[in-house]
Amino acid sequence: MATFSQSTVGKGSDSFTDFCCSPCLEHKIDQWAEFYCDNCLKFYCAKCINLHGQLFGKHLTYGRGDTSKWPVSKEVEDFIQKCDLHEDKRLEMFCNDHSQLCCTNCAFLNHRQCAKLALISESVKAPLPDLQQLSIKIQTVLVELKELQNYWDTNMQCLQVSYKKQLHEIDQARKKINIILDEMEKTTLKELEDKMMSLKASVNTNVENCSKLQTELKRLSDTLHDIVDKGKAELSFIASKKCLEKINQSETYLIENLVQVESSLTFQADSDFQQHLSKLSGLGRIVVCTQAVPLSGAQNKVLAVQGKSEYNVSIPSDAEKRFDIIAICVLLNDQILVADHDNKRIKLLDHQYQVVGHCDLNACPMDMCLITPSEVAVAVDGNKTHEAQFVLINDGRLVKGRKLKFIHPCYGIANNQQDLYITSGTALCKYSMTGDLLNTLYEDTSRRCTIYTCAVSTSGDKIFVTNYEHGKVITLARDGTVICTFTDPELVGPRGIHVTAQGQVLVCGASSRTILQLDGEGKKKLATLATRSDGLYKPQSVCYNRSSSSIIVGQNVCADILVFKVK
């Protein structure tokens, strides 16, 4: 029987020790093998093969150029056949009910009730798995994991830069006050340090997760090279199942991290601190600023509709029986807010899309956007009412808060950090969160509804506005400069527009009865996600729920919202 070198496969290792010369090993010499004898089933170094040739001249030997004809090493067999859950056990069975490899412990603990549990030797079916394709797939996933790890590394650098910048801001604020602030400074710096350490720990955890998946995939990839073309059906079968499982784990991890939260630290000084010096406990607040940052290509990943459901959002106290679900927001706890235009209400839906709360407004809601994880701003408009009404979601109750009044109509509303964007029908205006007009970014007075609704890209560098009258989606830069204009025969009367956390752009064609997906720049159509044949009737609003992988659509003259399952 062939003798192999001691394995280097272990925790943290991504390679195997090569074959060693069998005769040398018998003399406790660790010598690299250059040949394999198919008759002796042994390996030989360059020196020993000469003696072997003299004794067994007719034996069939293979050199390094024919390693495909060498056997699979014991180390490789042990690695492939070892149970991941019970490392002292070998994989002997396969559960077809769960598509899982099992050792005897797994079978006893987790698969006793399974009807299709069989020995691996009985489960192997021709043709053998394509291990070359699995190896290629592993390399693809490794590249994606490396990209994700690079993101975390870059995020750590940015975090360090913001940390140093805020230290400088703290120092500048400190110079404006006297010696009684020494203790307050210590308190603030401690808060900064604690949050920095917490964020660094979080980023390091993600880096370690990426590294672990990469290490495991590399080990499997190296293993595949060792058993390809060996004709070992059971090993190939086990290897394929292990590879697919690890690939699925990696792909799931990549999908879960498709959109990352970029964290930084900001010191927010209190503008009134000099007047209230003796009452303050710190120089200001250390705030973790987060921003959804899609990974490369995420904004242009095409969504595919896989099914549709309908849910009625009317309630007995609705005064009007005509409905227009004009806006939709998904909260971070997966609850959903819908704006019922005709009934002048905001309604809160649970995970089953049942109405569990509502609040009444003094005019018709026109649009809605998230301000914080538990607060939205609603564009409210009527004969003499032009407002942004803030609504807080507190323990399942909708509580109206402050409101901002405007001198122009309020049709659309969007938020990005401390900027509030309001559309008037003919203009896009940027306001502060206190209601101060910062500037008018864009105007089109050719018709009444040329600037209808708006949405901001995840990075905040682009604003998308719908031109209802002319069937356009216009992409603007931060300063209002037109970047591009999108038109399409399938987009007539565009109304609601939404940017997903991944940066994908969705827009409703109210008159064309369509939902389109545009590229992240708003330049071209990537897909027609739904049409009249899917039950659309004058769609007014659209929103993507990432946690349930679904697109929610609100319509005119209809109390039913449509929920499209997407992939």
Side-chain angles (χ1 to χ4, degrees), residues 39 61 89 130 156 169 243 271 351 444 475 492 529 535 556:
N39 299 88
T61 60
K89 296 291 184 179
D130 191 338
M156 178 66 80
E169 293 296 326
C243 289
S271 60
H351 301 84
D444 182 351
T475 305
V492 183
L529 301 175
N556 188 19

Side-chain angles (χ1 to χ4, degrees), residues 152-167 170 188-205 263-266 286-289:
W152 289 119
D153 291 338
T154 302
N155 188 204
M156 178 66 80
Q157 296 172 11
C158 294
L159 186 59
Q160 193 67 42
V161 170
S162 69
Y163 171 70
K164 293 180 179 179
K165 180 180 179 181
Q166 301 318 310
L167 283 177
I170 292 171
T188 305
L189 289 173
K190 184 178 183 303
E191 181 186 2
L192 175 67
E193 193 69 30
D194 290 346
K195 290 191 176 181
M196 178 62 186
M197 295 302 296
S198 177
L199 290 170
K200 287 177 68 175
S202 176
V203 173
N204 282 328
T205 297
S263 302
S264 61
L265 296 166
T266 299
I286 303 299
V287 177
V288 177
C289 300

Side-chain angles (χ1 to χ4, degrees), residues 3 32 149 177 216 253 296 390 488:
T3 305
W32 196 30
Q149 184 176 9
I177 59 178
E216 292 172 347
Y253 181 76
S296 176
F390 290 77
D488 190 273

Side-chain angles (χ1 to χ4, degrees), residues 250-354:
S250 300
E251 289 178 334
T252 299
Y253 181 76
L254 287 166
I255 290 172
E256 290 174 349
N257 290 277
L258 190 60
V259 176
Q260 301 306 319
V261 176
E262 183 175 302
S263 302
S264 61
L265 296 166
T266 299
F267 172 69
Q268 296 182 347
D270 190 331
S271 60
D272 298 323
F273 78 95
Q274 293 184 17
Q275 300 177 21
H276 306 284
L277 194 58
S278 61
K279 300 178 182 179
L280 298 179
S281 61
L283 297 179
R285 295 190 303 151
I286 303 299
V287 177
V288 177
C289 300
T290 60
Q291 181 178 350
V293 181
L295 293 182
S296 176
Q299 62 184 4
N300 291 329
K301 180 181 179 182
V302 179
L303 299 171
V305 175
Q306 296 185 317
K308 183 194 74 172
S309 303
E310 297 185 18
Y311 301 92
N312 190 288
V313 295
S314 64
I315 55 178
S317 60
D318 288 335
E320 299 290 336
K321 300 308 175 186
R322 173 187 172 92
F323 296 88
D324 184 357
I325 307 304
I326 205 164
I328 303 172
C329 274
V330 176
L331 306 176
L332 292 190
N333 62 0
D334 293 336
Q335 289 185 308
I336 299 158
L337 286 178
V338 298
D340 185 342
H341 175 275
D342 291 358
N343 283 288
K344 301 178 183 178
R345 283 179 164 173
I346 302 297
K347 297 177 178 178
L348 179 65
L349 313 183
D350 62 15
H351 301 84
Q352 286 75 44
Y353 303 97
Q354 301 299 307

Side-chain angles (χ1 to χ4, degrees), residues 464-495:
F464 305 97
V465 298
T466 58
N467 185 325
Y468 182 85
E469 302 283 3
H470 301 132
K472 299 177 181 179
V473 172
I474 304 166
T475 305
L476 306 173
R478 280 193 181 99
D479 61 0
T481 303
V482 176
I483 298 175
C484 61
T485 300
F486 171 82
T487 60
D488 190 273
E490 288 191 311
L491 185 65
V492 183
R495 176 56 179 83

Side-chain angles (χ1 to χ4, degrees), residues 261-529:
V261 176
E262 183 175 302
S263 302
S264 61
L265 296 166
T266 299
F267 172 69
Q268 296 182 347
D270 190 331
S271 60
D272 298 323
F273 78 95
Q274 293 184 17
Q275 300 177 21
H276 306 284
L277 194 58
S278 61
K279 300 178 182 179
L280 298 179
S281 61
L283 297 179
R285 295 190 303 151
I286 303 299
V287 177
V288 177
C289 300
T290 60
Q291 181 178 350
V293 181
L295 293 182
S296 176
Q299 62 184 4
N300 291 329
K301 180 181 179 182
V302 179
L303 299 171
V305 175
Q306 296 185 317
K308 183 194 74 172
S309 303
E310 297 185 18
Y311 301 92
N312 190 288
V313 295
S314 64
I315 55 178
S317 60
D318 288 335
E320 299 290 336
K321 300 308 175 186
R322 173 187 172 92
F323 296 88
D324 184 357
I325 307 304
I326 205 164
I328 303 172
C329 274
V330 176
L331 306 176
L332 292 190
N333 62 0
D334 293 336
Q335 289 185 308
I336 299 158
L337 286 178
V338 298
D340 185 342
H341 175 275
D342 291 358
N343 283 288
K344 301 178 183 178
R345 283 179 164 173
I346 302 297
K347 297 177 178 178
L348 179 65
L349 313 183
D350 62 15
H351 301 84
Q352 286 75 44
Y353 303 97
Q354 301 299 307
V355 180
V356 293
H358 71 275
C359 73
D360 294 328
L361 307 170
N362 61 347
C364 296
M366 300 296 294
D367 200 5
M368 182 168 52
C369 70
L370 277 175
I371 301 298
T372 70
S374 59
E375 185 181 33
V376 296
V378 185
V380 179
D381 204 79
N383 290 333
K384 297 181 179 181
T385 302
H386 313 299
E387 299 173 348
Q389 172 67 66
F390 290 77
V391 178
L392 183 69
I393 298 85
N394 187 5
D395 293 329
R397 296 183 300 110
L398 303 184
V399 181
K400 288 189 290 186
R402 65 191 179 98
K403 63 176 64 175
L404 305 177
K405 296 182 179 292
F406 306 97
I407 61 173
H408 57 72
C410 296
Y411 287 171
I413 189 168
N415 165 248
N416 179 251
Q417 296 183 348
Q418 295 302 306
D419 295 327
L420 196 64
Y421 297 93
I422 305 288
T423 63
S424 67
T426 58
L428 174 67
C429 302
K430 182 166 76 170
Y431 287 87
S432 69
M433 293 301 291
T434 57
D436 297 320
L437 177 63
L438 302 178
N439 59 319
T440 299
L441 295 176
Y442 184 76
E443 282 189 281
D444 182 351
T445 58
S446 62
R447 298 288 293 274
R448 178 172 171 267
C449 292
T450 54
I451 311 297
Y452 203 177
T453 56
C454 61
V456 185
S457 66
T458 51
S459 60
D461 62 340
K462 292 182 289 292
I463 305 122
F464 305 97
V465 298
T466 58
N467 185 325
Y468 182 85
E469 302 283 3
H470 301 132
K472 299 177 181 179
V473 172
I474 304 166
T475 305
L476 306 173
R478 280 193 181 99
D479 61 0
T481 303
V482 176
I483 298 175
C484 61
T485 300
F486 171 82
T487 60
D488 190 273
E490 288 191 311
L491 185 65
V492 183
R495 176 56 179 83
I497 190 165
H498 172 70
V499 179
T500 72
Q502 294 94 328
Q504 297 146 312
V505 181
L506 309 178
V507 60
C508 300
S511 301
S512 53
R513 303 181 185 181
T514 54
I515 303 294
L516 306 184
Q517 179 183 347
L518 311 186
D519 69 344
E521 301 294 320
K523 290 182 178 180
K524 63 180 180 179
K525 177 177 66 178
L526 296 183
T528 301
L529 301 175

